């Protein structure tokens, strides 16, 4: 079970309760990063690949794997990394096995069971917020009626949530990287939800490959606000 700790923001002095997510090991057991209790959070001032991941050992099978480093957002605007106890030396882990895959669940039925979908009316994108709104509008059109944007955008890569679905929207001019796809997939696994990513600038080759392996739907979205499916999982999500 995940242990809740209190994390102090060194910028404003607020203290926040934080419970880390549990991620599934390939053996099927939940893996929770062991947090340092009563330790101040570390403000995130810049990002690098090494800082985004932490090595954690599964308590059941002793495998070690890299998982997203726990983070939380303070209302003062500071993103805080939560301190994790490093894995103690132990027996060598067994060789890794292929990770689980997920199939996209079908969207909830539209209100008119006999009628075809109405033509999609896109939402023009001018800002990053418009991109999130356009993706939400599209998902609702697909049948995910209760997709909403979280009130507080934490550093978990999830911009939209709905029953059985999490989505990430990348409005930058750079291709989406592997880490963004994996973080969304892990967030989906922790809540038994499927994942979808919307990007303006496409995807890195390894990100596309990983999305195919783990069942994340990839869409490209242009400035008119019209998404196009980029892999088979996205095409499945589109089917009426």
């Amino acid at each position: 079970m995940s242990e809740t700790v209190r994390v102090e923001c060194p910028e404003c002095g607020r203290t926040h309760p934080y419970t880390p997510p549990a991620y599934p090991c390939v053996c099927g057991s939940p893996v929770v990063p062991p947090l340092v209790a009563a330790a101040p959070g570390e403000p995130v001032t810049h990002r690098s690949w090494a800082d985004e991941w932490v090595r954690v050992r599964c308590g059941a099978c002793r495998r070690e794997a890299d998982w997203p480093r726990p983070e939380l957002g303070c209302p003062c605007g500071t993103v805080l990394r939560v301190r994790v106890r490093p894995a103690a030396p132990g027996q060598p882990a067994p060789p890794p096995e292929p990770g689980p895959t997920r199939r996209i669940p079908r969207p909830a039925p539209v209100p008119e069971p006999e009628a075809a979908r109405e033509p999609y009316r896109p939402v023009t994108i001018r800002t990053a917020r418009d991109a999130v709104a356009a993706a939400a509008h599209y998902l609702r059109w697909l049948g995910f009626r209760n997709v909403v944007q979280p009130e507080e955008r934490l550093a978990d890569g999830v911009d939209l949530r709905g029953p059985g679905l999490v989505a990430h929207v990348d409005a930058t001019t750079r291709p989406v990287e592997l880490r963004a796809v994996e973080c969304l997939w892990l967030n989906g696994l922790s809540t038994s939800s499927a994942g979808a990513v919307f990007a303006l600038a496409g995807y890195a080759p390894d990100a596309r490959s990983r999305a195919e392996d783990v069942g994340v739907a990839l869409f490209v979205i242009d400035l008119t606000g019209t998404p196009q499916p980029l892999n088979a999982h996205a095409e499945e999500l589109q089917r009426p």
Side-chain angles (χ1 to χ4, degrees):
M1 178 178 289
S2 299
E3 178 184 0
T4 299
V5 299
R6 302 196 69 81
V7 180
E8 180 182 347
C9 174
E11 300 295 327
C12 69
R14 291 183 177 94
T15 301
H16 310 282
Y18 177 77
T19 304
Y23 295 118
C25 178
V26 294
C27 75
S29 300
V31 177
V32 180
L35 305 183
V36 178
E42 176 188 355
V44 177
T45 57
H46 68 279
R47 293 191 178 275
S48 68
W49 179 264
D51 291 337
E52 300 295 330
W53 301 89
V54 63
R55 195 121 185 116
V56 179
R57 178 179 292 119
C58 173
C61 70
R62 311 303 293 171
R63 287 181 175 88
E64 291 185 4
D66 292 324
W67 299 100
R69 187 178 294 276
E71 294 182 354
L72 65 89
C74 179
C76 73
T78 304
V79 176
L80 302 170
R81 289 195 181 99
V82 183
R83 297 190 182 182
V84 177
R85 294 194 303 272
Q91 296 295 323
E97 299 174 1
T101 61
R102 292 186 60 82
R103 290 185 61 80
I104 298 287
R106 302 299 295 275
V110 295
E112 302 82 14
E114 300 298 329
R117 280 190 193 130
E118 295 182 359
Y120 179 65
R121 296 182 176 86
V123 176
T124 302
I125 296 174
R126 297 183 180 88
T127 66
R129 182 171 295 184
D130 290 342
V132 176
H137 175 64
Y138 180 74
L139 290 170
R140 294 183 190 116
W141 178 77
L142 289 180
F144 291 95
R145 302 300 186 194
N146 297 318
V147 168
V148 297
Q149 185 175 1
E151 292 184 5
E152 184 178 352
R153 173 62 158 83
L154 301 181
D156 60 2
V158 175
D159 298 287
L160 296 167
R161 290 185 182 275
L165 179 75
V166 290
H168 172 62
V169 183
D170 191 302
T172 68
T173 57
R174 300 183 303 275
V176 173
E177 296 181 351
L178 172 64
R179 180 185 182 277
V181 170
E182 290 187 331
C183 282
L184 183 75
W185 170 61
L186 291 171
N187 272 287
L189 284 179
S190 68
T191 57
S192 299
S193 300
V197 182
F198 296 81
L200 289 177
Y203 301 85
D206 55 355
R208 292 187 61 169
S209 176
R210 185 62 168 153
E212 194 66 34
D213 291 341
V214 299
V216 172
L218 300 183
F219 293 88
V220 289
I221 185 167
D222 60 28
L223 294 181
T224 70
T226 304
Q228 298 293 334
L230 199 62
N231 63 1
H233 305 294
E235 291 175 354
E236 183 179 352
L237 197 68
Q238 269 196 332
R239 293 196 189 106

